Amino acid sequence: MKQLQVENAKRLMTKFSAESTAALLGVCFQALISEREEGRKEREQQKQLGTYSGKIESFLKNKSEGAKHMLISMSRGLDSGLLTEVMSAWVVLVEEAKKT
């Protein structure tokens, strides 16, 4: 009887051990699958980040060039306006000098 109880206890412990090992193996396998999926997603995000970084850099370069052209055209407009004002003042000054 005692021998039967010892064998039953051993079988029970072996069963618990096998179930525990199987559960641990399952958890480890799921972690491995999850890690692989996360790595794939991270690589994909890095690839997209590189693509978007290039697009943003190109966009900023084009905007910078556009801003330079706008400032140059505004400067030209200011130069011509200033030249017109100076010439008008000079004409007025010359006319006043002739009157006196």
Side-chain angles (χ1 to χ4, degrees):
M1 180 80 152
K2 190 172 185 173
Q3 184 67 22
L4 185 59
Q5 287 178 345
V6 170
E7 286 186 29
N8 283 341
K10 282 183 182 180
R11 272 188 273 143
L12 186 62
M13 293 300 281
T14 303
K15 181 181 174 186
F16 285 153
S17 176
E19 288 175 358
S20 177
T21 303
L24 180 60
L25 186 60
V27 168
C28 289
F29 190 67
Q30 287 297 325
L32 179 66
I33 291 172
S34 176
E35 181 64 30
R36 186 165 186 244
E37 183 67 23
E38 286 177 17
R40 184 189 62 78
K41 285 180 182 178
E42 186 174 329
R43 284 189 301 274
E44 186 177 308
Q45 288 174 347
Q46 289 294 331
K47 184 179 173 182
Q48 287 178 349
L49 180 64
T51 302
Y52 291 136
S53 294
K55 287 180 180 180
I56 289 171
E57 204 170 289
S58 174
F59 175 75
L60 291 175
K61 182 180 178 186
N62 289 338
K63 283 296 181 182
S64 176
E65 291 294 322
K68 284 180 188 176
H69 290 296
M70 185 183 72
L71 287 173
I72 289 171
S73 66
M74 286 176 57
S75 176
R76 286 182 185 150
L78 290 174
D79 289 346
S80 64
L82 181 61
L83 183 60
T84 302
E85 287 293 320
V86 169
M87 293 303 281
S88 296
W90 179 73
V91 168
V92 170
L93 183 67
V94 168
E95 288 177 358
E96 286 180 359
K98 285 183 183 179
K99 288 182 185 176
T100 59

Coordinates of all heavy atoms in Angstrom, one line a residue:
M1 N 0.8 -1.2 0.0 CA 0.0 0.0 0.0 C 0.9 1.3 0.0 O 0.6 2.2 -0.7 CB -0.9 0.0 1.2 CG -1.8 1.1 1.4 SD -3.2 0.8 0.3 CE -4.4 1.7 1.1
K2 N 1.9 1.2 0.9 CA 2.8 2.4 0.9 C 3.5 2.5 -0.4 O 3.7 3.6 -0.8 CB 3.7 2.2 2.1 CG 4.5 3.4 2.4 CD 5.3 3.3 3.7 CE 5.9 4.6 3.9 NZ 6.6 4.7 5.2
Q3 N 3.9 1.4 -1.0 CA 4.6 1.4 -2.3 C 3.7 2.0 -3.3 O 4.1 2.8 -4.1 CB 5.0 0.0 -2.6 CG 5.8 -0.1 -3.9 CD 7.2 0.5 -3.8 OE1 7.7 0.7 -2.7 NE2 7.7 0.9 -4.9
L4 N 2.4 1.7 -3.3 CA 1.5 2.3 -4.3 C 1.3 3.8 -4.1 O 1.3 4.5 -5.1 CB 0.1 1.6 -4.1 CG -1.0 2.0 -5.1 CD1 -0.6 1.6 -6.5 CD2 -2.3 1.3 -4.8
Q5 N 1.3 4.2 -2.9 CA 1.2 5.7 -2.6 C 2.4 6.4 -3.1 O 2.4 7.5 -3.7 CB 1.0 5.9 -1.1 CG -0.4 5.6 -0.6 CD -0.5 5.8 0.9 OE1 0.5 5.9 1.6 NE2 -1.7 5.8 1.4
V6 N 3.6 5.8 -2.9 CA 4.9 6.4 -3.3 C 4.9 6.5 -4.9 O 5.2 7.5 -5.4 CB 6.1 5.5 -2.8 CG1 7.4 6.0 -3.5 CG2 6.2 5.6 -1.3
E7 N 4.4 5.4 -5.5 CA 4.4 5.4 -7.0 C 3.4 6.4 -7.5 O 3.6 7.1 -8.5 CB 4.1 4.0 -7.5 CG 5.3 3.1 -7.4 CD 5.0 1.8 -8.1 OE1 4.2 1.7 -9.1 OE2 5.6 0.8 -7.6
N8 N 2.2 6.5 -6.9 CA 1.2 7.5 -7.3 C 1.8 9.0 -7.1 O 1.5 9.8 -7.9 CB -0.1 7.4 -6.4 CG -0.9 6.2 -6.9 OD1 -0.8 5.7 -8.0 ND2 -1.8 5.7 -6.0
A9 N 2.4 9.2 -6.0 CA 3.1 10.5 -5.7 C 4.1 10.8 -6.8 O 4.2 11.9 -7.3 CB 3.7 10.5 -4.3
K10 N 4.9 9.8 -7.2 CA 5.9 10.0 -8.2 C 5.3 10.3 -9.5 O 5.7 11.2 -10.3 CB 6.8 8.8 -8.4 CG 7.8 8.6 -7.3 CD 8.7 7.4 -7.6 CE 9.7 7.2 -6.5 NZ 10.6 6.0 -6.7
R11 N 4.2 9.6 -9.9 CA 3.5 9.9 -11.2 C 2.9 11.3 -11.2 O 3.0 12.0 -12.2 CB 2.4 8.8 -11.4 CG 3.0 7.6 -12.1 CD 1.9 6.7 -12.5 NE 1.7 5.8 -11.4 CZ 0.5 5.3 -11.0 NH1 -0.6 5.6 -11.6 NH2 0.4 4.5 -9.9
L12 N 2.4 11.6 -10.0 CA 1.8 13.0 -9.9 C 2.8 14.1 -10.0 O 2.6 15.0 -10.8 CB 1.0 13.1 -8.6 CG 0.2 14.4 -8.3 CD1 -0.9 14.5 -9.4 CD2 -0.4 14.4 -7.0
M13 N 4.0 13.9 -9.4 CA 5.0 14.9 -9.5 C 5.6 14.9 -10.9 O 5.9 16.0 -11.4 CB 6.2 14.5 -8.5 CG 5.7 14.6 -7.0 SD 5.2 16.3 -6.6 CE 6.8 17.1 -6.5
T14 N 5.7 13.8 -11.5 CA 6.2 13.7 -12.9 C 5.2 14.4 -13.9 O 5.6 15.2 -14.7 CB 6.4 12.2 -13.4 OG1 7.3 11.6 -12.5 CG2 7.0 12.2 -14.8
K15 N 3.9 14.2 -13.6 CA 2.9 14.9 -14.4 C 3.0 16.4 -14.3 O 3.0 17.1 -15.2 CB 1.5 14.4 -14.0 CG 0.4 15.0 -14.8 CD -1.0 14.4 -14.4 CE -2.1 15.2 -15.1 NZ -3.4 14.8 -14.6
F16 N 3.1 16.8 -13.0 CA 3.2 18.3 -12.7 C 4.4 18.9 -13.4 O 4.4 19.9 -13.9 CB 3.2 18.6 -11.2 CG 1.8 18.4 -10.6 CD1 1.8 18.1 -9.2 CD2 0.7 18.6 -11.3 CE1 0.5 18.0 -8.6 CE2 -0.6 18.5 -10.7 CZ -0.6 18.2 -9.3
S17 N 5.5 18.1 -13.3 CA 6.8 18.6 -13.9 C 6.7 18.7 -15.4 O 7.1 19.6 -16.0 CB 7.9 17.6 -13.5 OG 9.1 18.0 -14.1
A18 N 6.1 17.7 -16.0 CA 5.9 17.7 -17.4 C 5.0 18.8 -17.9 O 5.3 19.5 -18.9 CB 5.3 16.3 -17.9
E19 N 3.9 19.0 -17.1 CA 3.0 20.2 -17.5 C 3.7 21.5 -17.3 O 3.5 22.4 -18.1 CB 1.7 20.1 -16.6 CG 0.8 19.0 -17.0 CD -0.4 18.8 -16.0 OE1 -0.4 19.6 -15.0 OE2 -1.2 18.0 -16.2
S20 N 4.5 21.6 -16.2 CA 5.2 22.8 -16.0 C 6.3 23.1 -17.1 O 6.4 24.2 -17.6 CB 5.9 22.8 -14.6 OG 6.7 23.9 -14.4
T21 N 7.0 22.0 -17.5 CA 7.9 22.1 -18.6 C 7.3 22.5 -19.9 O 7.7 23.4 -20.6 CB 8.7 20.8 -18.7 OG1 9.3 20.5 -17.5 CG2 9.8 20.9 -19.8
A22 N 6.1 21.9 -20.2 CA 5.4 22.2 -21.4 C 4.9 23.7 -21.4 O 5.0 24.4 -22.4 CB 4.2 21.3 -21.6
A23 N 4.4 24.1 -20.2 CA 3.9 25.5 -20.1 C 5.1 26.5 -20.3 O 5.0 27.5 -21.0 CB 3.3 25.7 -18.8
L24 N 6.2 26.1 -19.7 CA 7.4 27.0 -19.8 C 7.9 27.0 -21.3 O 8.2 28.1 -21.8 CB 8.5 26.5 -18.9 CG 9.8 27.3 -18.9 CD1 9.6 28.8 -18.5 CD2 10.9 26.7 -18.0
L25 N 7.9 25.9 -21.9 CA 8.3 25.8 -23.3 C 7.3 26.7 -24.2 O 7.8 27.4 -25.1 CB 8.3 24.4 -23.8 CG 8.8 24.1 -25.2 CD1 10.3 24.6 -25.3 CD2 8.7 22.6 -25.5
G26 N 6.0 26.6 -23.9 CA 5.1 27.4 -24.6 C 5.3 28.9 -24.4 O 5.2 29.6 -25.4
V27 N 5.5 29.3 -23.2 CA 5.8 30.7 -22.9 C 7.0 31.2 -23.6 O 7.0 32.3 -24.2 CB 5.8 30.9 -21.4 CG1 6.4 32.3 -21.1 CG2 4.5 30.7 -20.8
C28 N 8.1 30.4 -23.6 CA 9.3 30.7 -24.3 C 9.1 30.9 -25.8 O 9.6 31.8 -26.4 CB 10.4 29.7 -24.0 SG 11.0 29.8 -22.3
F29 N 8.4 29.9 -26.3 CA 8.1 29.9 -27.8 C 7.3 31.2 -28.2 O 7.6 31.8 -29.2 CB 7.4 28.7 -28.2 CG 7.3 28.5 -29.7 CD1 8.4 28.3 -30.5 CD2 6.1 28.6 -30.3 CE1 8.3 28.1 -31.8 CE2 6.0 28.4 -31.7 CZ 7.1 28.2 -32.4
Q30 N 6.3 31.5 -27.4 CA 5.5 32.7 -27.6 C 6.3 34.0 -27.5 O 6.2 34.9 -28.3 CB 4.3 32.8 -26.7 CG 3.2 31.8 -27.0 CD 2.6 32.0 -28.3 OE1 2.4 33.1 -28.8 NE2 2.2 30.9 -29.0
A31 N 7.2 34.0 -26.6 CA 8.1 35.2 -26.4 C 9.1 35.3 -27.6 O 9.3 36.4 -28.1 CB 9.0 35.0 -25.1
L32 N 9.5 34.2 -28.1 CA 10.4 34.2 -29.3 C 9.6 34.7 -30.5 O 10.1 35.5 -31.3 CB 10.9 32.8 -29.6 CG 11.8 32.6 -30.8 CD1 13.1 33.3 -30.6 CD2 12.1 31.1 -31.1
I33 N 8.4 34.2 -30.7 CA 7.6 34.7 -31.8 C 7.3 36.2 -31.7 O 7.4 37.0 -32.7 CB 6.3 33.9 -31.9 CG1 6.6 32.5 -32.3 CG2 5.3 34.5 -32.9 CD1 5.4 31.5 -32.2
S34 N 7.0 36.6 -30.5 CA 6.7 38.0 -30.2 C 7.9 38.9 -30.5 O 7.8 40.0 -31.1 CB 6.2 38.2 -28.8 OG 6.0 39.5 -28.5
E35 N 9.1 38.5 -30.1 CA 10.3 39.2 -30.3 C 10.6 39.3 -31.7 O 11.0 40.4 -32.2 CB 11.5 38.5 -29.5 CG 12.8 39.2 -29.6 CD 12.8 40.6 -29.0 OE1 12.1 40.9 -28.1 OE2 13.6 41.5 -29.5
R36 N 10.4 38.3 -32.5 CA 10.7 38.3 -33.9 C 9.8 39.3 -34.6 O 10.2 40.0 -35.5 CB 10.5 36.9 -34.5 CG 10.9 36.8 -35.9 CD 11.1 35.3 -36.4 NE 11.6 35.3 -37.7 CZ 10.9 34.8 -38.7 NH1 9.7 34.3 -38.5 NH2 11.4 34.8 -39.9
E37 N 8.5 39.3 -34.2 CA 7.5 40.2 -34.8 C 7.8 41.6 -34.5 O 7.8 42.5 -35.4 CB 6.1 39.8 -34.3 CG 5.0 40.6 -35.0 CD 4.8 40.4 -36.4 OE1 5.2 39.3 -36.9 OE2 4.3 41.2 -37.1
E38 N 8.2 41.9 -33.3 CA 8.6 43.2 -32.9 C 9.8 43.7 -33.7 O 9.9 44.9 -34.1 CB 8.8 43.3 -31.4 CG 7.6 43.3 -30.6 CD 7.9 43.3 -29.1 OE1 9.0 43.6 -28.7 OE2 6.9 42.9 -28.3
G39 N 10.8 42.8 -33.8 CA 12.0 43.2 -34.6 C 11.6 43.5 -36.1 O 12.2 44.4 -36.6
R40 N 10.7 42.7 -36.6 CA 10.3 43.0 -38.0 C 9.6 44.3 -38.1 O 9.9 45.1 -39.0 CB 9.4 41.9 -38.5 CG 8.9 42.0 -40.0 CD 7.8 41.1 -40.4 NE 6.6 41.3 -39.6 CZ 5.7 42.3 -39.9 NH1 6.0 43.1 -40.8 NH2 4.6 42.4 -39.2
K41 N 8.8 44.6 -37.2 CA 8.1 45.9 -37.2 C 9.1 47.1 -37.0 O 8.9 48.1 -37.6 CB 7.0 46.0 -36.1 CG 5.8 45.1 -36.4 CD 4.8 45.2 -35.2 CE 3.6 44.4 -35.5 NZ 2.6 44.4 -34.4
E42 N 10.0 46.9 -36.1 CA 11.0 47.9 -35.9 C 11.9 48.2 -37.1 O 12.1 49.3 -37.5 CB 11.9 47.5 -34.7 CG 12.9 48.6 -34.3 CD 13.7 48.3 -33.1 OE1 13.2 47.5 -32.2 OE2 14.8 48.8 -33.0
R43 N 12.3 47.1 -37.8 CA 13.0 47.3 -39.1 C 12.2 48.1 -40.1 O 12.7 48.9 -40.8 CB 13.5 46.0 -39.6 CG 14.6 45.4 -38.9 CD 15.2 44.1 -39.6 NE 14.2 43.1 -39.7 CZ 13.9 42.1 -38.9 NH1 14.5 42.1 -37.7 NH2 13.0 41.2 -39.1
E44 N 10.9 47.7 -40.2 CA 10.0 48.4 -41.1 C 9.9 49.9 -40.8 O 9.9 50.7 -41.7 CB 8.6 47.7 -41.1 CG 7.7 48.2 -42.1 CD 6.4 47.4 -42.1 OE1 6.4 46.2 -42.2 OE2 5.3 48.1 -42.0
Q45 N 9.7 50.2 -39.5 CA 9.6 51.6 -39.1 C 10.9 52.3 -39.3 O 10.9 53.5 -39.8 CB 9.3 51.6 -37.6 CG 7.9 51.2 -37.2 CD 7.6 51.2 -35.8 OE1 8.5 51.2 -34.9 NE2 6.3 51.1 -35.4
Q46 N 12.1 51.7 -39.1 CA 13.3 52.4 -39.4 C 13.5 52.7 -40.9 O 13.9 53.7 -41.3 CB 14.5 51.5 -39.0 CG 14.7 51.4 -37.5 CD 15.1 52.7 -36.9 OE1 15.7 53.6 -37.5 NE2 14.6 52.9 -35.6
K47 N 13.0 51.7 -41.7 CA 13.0 51.9 -43.2 C 12.1 53.1 -43.6 O 12.5 54.0 -44.4 CB 12.5 50.6 -43.9 CG 12.6 50.7 -45.4 CD 12.1 49.3 -46.0 CE 12.0 49.4 -47.5 NZ 11.5 48.1 -48.0
Q48 N 10.9 53.2 -43.0 CA 10.0 54.3 -43.3 C 10.6 55.6 -42.8 O 10.4 56.6 -43.4 CB 8.6 54.0 -42.7 CG 7.8 53.0 -43.3 CD 6.5 52.7 -42.6 OE1 6.3 53.2 -41.5 NE2 5.6 51.9 -43.3
L49 N 11.2 55.5 -41.6 CA 11.8 56.7 -41.1 C 12.9 57.3 -42.0 O 13.0 58.5 -42.2 CB 12.4 56.4 -39.7 CG 13.1 57.6 -39.0 CD1 12.0 58.7 -38.7 CD2 13.7 57.1 -37.7
G50 N 13.7 56.4 -42.5 CA 14.7 56.8 -43.5 C 14.1 57.5 -44.7 O 14.6 58.5 -45.2
T51 N 13.0 56.9 -45.2 CA 12.4 57.4 -46.4 C 11.8 58.8 -46.1 O 12.0 59.8 -46.9 CB 11.2 56.5 -46.8 OG1 11.8 55.2 -47.1 CG2 10.5 57.0 -48.1
Y52 N 11.1 58.9 -45.0 CA 10.5 60.2 -44.6 C 11.6 61.3 -44.3 O 11.4 62.4 -44.6 CB 9.6 60.1 -43.4 CG 8.3 59.3 -43.7 CD1 7.8 58.3 -42.9 CD2 7.6 59.5 -44.9 CE1 6.7 57.6 -43.2 CE2 6.5 58.8 -45.2 CZ 6.0 57.8 -44.4 OH 4.9 57.1 -44.7
S53 N 12.7 60.9 -43.7 CA 13.8 61.8 -43.4 C 14.3 62.4 -44.7 O 14.5 63.6 -44.8 CB 14.9 61.1 -42.6 OG 14.5 60.7 -41.4
G54 N 14.5 61.6 -45.7 CA 14.9 62.1 -47.0 C 13.9 63.0 -47.6 O 14.3 64.1 -48.2
K55 N 12.7 62.7 -47.5 CA 11.6 63.6 -48.1 C 11.6 64.9 -47.3 O 11.4 66.0 -48.0 CB 10.3 62.9 -48.0 CG 10.1 61.8 -49.0 CD 8.7 61.1 -48.9 CE 8.5 60.0 -49.8 NZ 7.2 59.4 -49.7
I56 N 11.7 64.9 -46.0 CA 11.7 66.1 -45.2 C 12.9 67.0 -45.6 O 12.7 68.2 -45.7 CB 11.6 65.8 -43.7 CG1 10.2 65.2 -43.4 CG2 11.9 67.0 -42.9 CD1 10.1 64.7 -42.0
E57 N 14.0 66.4 -45.7 CA 15.2 67.1 -46.0 C 15.1 67.8 -47.4 O 15.5 69.0 -47.5 CB 16.4 66.1 -46.0 CG 17.7 66.8 -45.8 CD 18.8 65.7 -45.5 OE1 18.8 65.1 -44.5 OE2 19.7 65.6 -46.4
S58 N 14.6 67.1 -48.3 CA 14.4 67.6 -49.7 C 13.4 68.8 -49.6 O 13.6 69.8 -50.3 CB 13.9 66.5 -50.6 OG 13.6 67.0 -51.9
F59 N 12.3 68.6 -48.9 CA 11.3 69.6 -48.8 C 11.9 70.9 -48.2 O 11.6 72.0 -48.6 CB 10.1 69.1 -47.9 CG 9.1 70.1 -47.6 CD1 8.2 70.5 -48.6 CD2 9.0 70.7 -46.3 CE1 7.2 71.4 -48.3 CE2 8.0 71.7 -46.1 CZ 7.1 72.0 -47.1
L60 N 12.6 70.7 -47.1 CA 13.2 71.9 -46.4 C 14.2 72.6 -47.3 O 14.3 73.8 -47.3 CB 13.9 71.5 -45.1 CG 13.0 71.0 -44.0 CD1 13.8 70.6 -42.8 CD2 12.0 72.2 -43.6
K61 N 15.0 71.8 -48.1 CA 15.9 72.4 -49.0 C 15.2 73.2 -50.1 O 15.6 74.4 -50.4 CB 16.8 71.3 -49.7 CG 17.8 71.9 -50.6 CD 18.6 70.8 -51.3 CE 19.6 71.4 -52.3 NZ 20.3 70.3 -53.0
N62 N 14.1 72.7 -50.6 CA 13.3 73.4 -51.6 C 12.7 74.7 -51.0 O 12.7 75.7 -51.7 CB 12.3 72.5 -52.2 CG 12.8 71.4 -53.1 OD1 14.0 71.6 -53.6 ND2 12.1 70.3 -53.3
K63 N 12.2 74.6 -49.8 CA 11.6 75.7 -49.2 C 12.7 76.8 -48.9 O 12.4 78.0 -49.1 CB 11.0 75.3 -47.8 CG 9.7 74.7 -48.0 CD 8.7 75.6 -48.6 CE 7.3 75.0 -48.8 NZ 6.4 75.8 -49.4
S64 N 13.9 76.4 -48.6 CA 15.0 77.3 -48.4 C 15.3 78.1 -49.6 O 15.5 79.3 -49.7 CB 16.2 76.6 -47.8 OG 17.3 77.5 -47.7
E65 N 15.4 77.3 -50.7 CA 15.7 77.9 -52.0 C 14.5 78.9 -52.4 O 14.8 80.0 -52.9 CB 15.8 76.8 -53.1 CG 17.0 76.0 -53.0 CD 18.3 76.8 -53.2 OE1 18.3 77.7 -54.1 OE2 19.3 76.5 -52.5
G66 N 13.3 78.5 -52.2 CA 12.2 79.4 -52.5 C 12.2 80.7 -51.7 O 11.9 81.8 -52.2
A67 N 12.6 80.5 -50.4 CA 12.7 81.7 -49.5 C 13.8 82.6 -50.0 O 13.6 83.9 -50.0 CB 12.9 81.3 -48.1
K68 N 14.9 82.1 -50.4 CA 16.0 82.9 -50.9 C 15.6 83.7 -52.2 O 15.8 84.9 -52.3 CB 17.2 82.0 -51.3 CG 18.0 81.5 -50.2 CD 19.1 80.7 -50.6 CE 19.8 80.0 -49.5 NZ 20.9 79.1 -49.9
H69 N 14.9 83.0 -53.1 CA 14.4 83.7 -54.3 C 13.4 84.8 -53.9 O 13.4 85.9 -54.5 CB 13.8 82.7 -55.3 CG 14.8 81.8 -55.9 ND1 15.8 82.2 -56.7 CD2 14.9 80.5 -55.8 CE1 16.5 81.2 -57.1 NE2 16.0 80.1 -56.6
M70 N 12.5 84.6 -53.0 CA 11.6 85.6 -52.6 C 12.3 86.8 -52.0 O 11.9 87.9 -52.3 CB 10.6 85.0 -51.6 CG 9.5 86.0 -51.2 SD 8.4 85.3 -50.0 CE 9.4 85.4 -48.5
L71 N 13.3 86.5 -51.1 CA 14.0 87.7 -50.5 C 14.8 88.4 -51.5 O 14.8 89.7 -51.5 CB 14.9 87.1 -49.4 CG 14.3 86.6 -48.1 CD1 15.3 86.0 -47.2 CD2 13.6 87.8 -47.4
I72 N 15.3 87.8 -52.5 CA 16.1 88.5 -53.6 C 15.1 89.3 -54.4 O 15.4 90.5 -54.7 CB 16.8 87.5 -54.5 CG1 18.0 86.9 -53.7 CG2 17.3 88.1 -55.8 CD1 18.6 85.7 -54.4
S73 N 13.9 88.8 -54.7 CA 13.0 89.6 -55.5 C 12.5 90.8 -54.7 O 12.3 91.9 -55.2 CB 11.8 88.8 -56.0 OG 11.0 88.3 -54.9
M74 N 12.2 90.6 -53.4 CA 11.8 91.7 -52.5 C 12.9 92.7 -52.4 O 12.6 93.9 -52.5 CB 11.4 91.2 -51.1 CG 10.1 90.4 -51.1 SD 9.8 89.7 -49.5 CE 9.8 91.2 -48.4
S75 N 14.1 92.3 -52.3 CA 15.3 93.2 -52.3 C 15.4 94.0 -53.5 O 15.6 95.2 -53.5 CB 16.5 92.4 -52.0 OG 17.7 93.3 -52.0
R76 N 15.2 93.4 -54.7 CA 15.2 94.1 -55.9 C 14.1 95.2 -56.0 O 14.3 96.3 -56.5 CB 15.1 93.2 -57.1 CG 16.3 92.3 -57.3 CD 16.1 91.4 -58.5 NE 17.3 90.6 -58.6 CZ 17.3 89.4 -59.2 NH1 16.1 88.9 -59.6 NH2 18.4 88.7 -59.2
G77 N 12.9 94.8 -55.5 CA 11.8 95.8 -55.4 C 12.2 96.9 -54.5 O 11.9 98.1 -54.9
L78 N 12.8 96.7 -53.4 CA 13.2 97.7 -52.5 C 14.2 98.6 -53.1 O 14.2 99.8 -53.0 CB 13.7 97.2 -51.2 CG 12.7 96.5 -50.3 CD1 13.3 95.9 -49.1 CD2 11.6 97.6 -49.8
D79 N 15.2 98.0 -53.8 CA 16.3 98.8 -54.5 C 15.7 99.7 -55.6 O 16.0 100.9 -55.6 CB 17.3 97.8 -55.2 CG 18.1 97.1 -54.2 OD1 18.1 97.5 -53.0 OD2 18.8 96.1 -54.5
S80 N 14.8 99.2 -56.4 CA 14.2 100.0 -57.4 C 13.3 101.1 -56.8 O 13.3 102.3 -57.3 CB 13.4 99.2 -58.4 OG 12.3 98.6 -57.8
G81 N 12.6 100.8 -55.7 CA 11.8 101.9 -55.0 C 12.7 102.9 -54.4 O 12.4 104.1 -54.5
L82 N 13.8 102.5 -53.8 CA 14.7 103.5 -53.2 C 15.4 104.3 -54.3 O 15.5 105.6 -54.2 CB 15.8 102.7 -52.5 CG 16.9 103.6 -51.8 CD1 16.2 104.5 -50.7 CD2 17.9 102.7 -51.1
L83 N 15.7 103.7 -55.4 CA 16.3 104.5 -56.5 C 15.3 105.5 -57.1 O 15.7 106.7 -57.3 CB 16.7 103.6 -57.7 CG 17.4 104.2 -58.8 CD1 18.7 104.9 -58.4 CD2 17.7 103.2 -59.9
T84 N 14.0 105.2 -57.2 CA 13.0 106.1 -57.6 C 12.9 107.2 -56.7 O 12.8 108.4 -57.1 CB 11.7 105.3 -57.8 OG1 11.8 104.3 -58.7 CG2 10.6 106.3 -58.3
E85 N 12.8 107.0 -55.4 CA 12.7 108.0 -54.4 C 13.9 109.0 -54.4 O 13.8 110.2 -54.3 CB 12.6 107.4 -53.0 CG 11.3 106.8 -52.6 CD 10.2 107.8 -52.6 OE1 10.4 108.9 -52.0 OE2 9.1 107.5 -53.1
V86 N 15.1 108.4 -54.6 CA 16.3 109.3 -54.6 C 16.3 110.2 -55.9 O 16.6 111.4 -55.8 CB 17.6 108.4 -54.6 CG1 18.8 109.2 -54.9 CG2 17.7 107.8 -53.2
M87 N 15.9 109.6 -57.0 CA 15.9 110.3 -58.2 C 14.8 111.4 -58.1 O 15.1 112.6 -58.6 CB 15.6 109.4 -59.4 CG 16.7 108.5 -59.7 SD 18.3 109.3 -60.0 CE 18.1 109.8 -61.7
S88 N 13.7 111.1 -57.6 CA 12.6 112.1 -57.4 C 13.1 113.3 -56.5 O 12.8 114.5 -56.8 CB 11.3 111.5 -56.8 OG 10.8 110.5 -57.7
A89 N 13.7 112.9 -55.4 CA 14.2 114.0 -54.5 C 15.3 114.8 -55.2 O 15.4 116.0 -55.0 CB 14.8 113.3 -53.2
W90 N 16.1 114.2 -56.0 CA 17.2 114.9 -56.7 C 16.6 115.9 -57.7 O 17.0 117.0 -57.8 CB 18.1 113.9 -57.4 CG 19.2 114.6 -58.2 CD1 20.3 115.2 -57.7 CD2 19.3 114.7 -59.6 NE1 21.1 115.7 -58.6 CE2 20.5 115.4 -59.9 CE3 18.5 114.3 -60.6 CZ2 20.9 115.7 -61.2 CZ3 18.9 114.6 -61.9 CH2 20.1 115.3 -62.2
V91 N 15.5 115.4 -58.4 CA 14.8 116.3 -59.4 C 14.2 117.5 -58.7 O 14.4 118.6 -59.1 CB 13.8 115.5 -60.2 CG1 12.8 116.5 -60.9 CG2 14.4 114.5 -61.1
V92 N 13.6 117.3 -57.5 CA 13.0 118.3 -56.7 C 14.1 119.3 -56.3 O 13.9 120.5 -56.4 CB 12.2 117.8 -55.5 CG1 11.8 118.9 -54.6 CG2 11.0 117.0 -56.0
L93 N 15.2 118.8 -55.8 CA 16.3 119.6 -55.4 C 16.9 120.5 -56.5 O 17.2 121.6 -56.3 CB 17.4 118.7 -54.7 CG 18.6 119.4 -54.2 CD1 18.2 120.3 -52.9 CD2 19.7 118.5 -53.7
V94 N 17.0 119.9 -57.7 CA 17.6 120.6 -58.8 C 16.6 121.7 -59.2 O 17.0 122.8 -59.5 CB 17.9 119.6 -60.0 CG1 18.1 120.4 -61.3 CG2 19.0 118.7 -59.7
E95 N 15.3 121.4 -59.2 CA 14.3 122.4 -59.6 C 14.3 123.6 -58.6 O 14.2 124.7 -59.0 CB 12.9 121.8 -59.7 CG 12.8 120.9 -61.0 CD 11.4 120.2 -61.0 OE1 10.6 120.4 -60.1 OE2 11.2 119.5 -62.0
E96 N 14.4 123.3 -57.3 CA 14.5 124.3 -56.3 C 15.7 125.2 -56.5 O 15.7 126.4 -56.3 CB 14.4 123.7 -54.9 CG 13.0 123.2 -54.5 CD 13.0 122.6 -53.1 OE1 14.1 122.6 -52.4 OE2 12.0 122.2 -52.7
A97 N 16.8 124.5 -56.8 CA 18.1 125.2 -57.0 C 18.0 126.2 -58.2 O 18.5 127.3 -58.2 CB 19.2 124.3 -57.2
K98 N 17.2 125.8 -59.3 CA 17.1 126.6 -60.5 C 16.2 127.8 -60.2 O 16.4 128.9 -60.7 CB 16.5 125.8 -61.6 CG 17.4 124.9 -62.3 CD 16.7 124.2 -63.4 CE 17.7 123.2 -64.1 NZ 17.0 122.5 -65.2
K99 N 15.2 127.7 -59.2 CA 14.3 128.8 -58.9 C 15.0 129.8 -58.1 O 14.7 131.0 -58.2 CB 13.1 128.3 -58.1 CG 12.2 127.5 -58.9 CD 11.0 127.0 -58.1 CE 10.1 126.1 -58.9 NZ 9.0 125.6 -58.1
T100 N 16.0 129.5 -57.4 CA 16.7 130.5 -56.5 C 17.9 131.1 -57.1 O 18.4 131.2 -58.1 CB 17.2 129.9 -55.2 OG1 18.0 128.8 -55.4 CG2 16.0 129.5 -54.4

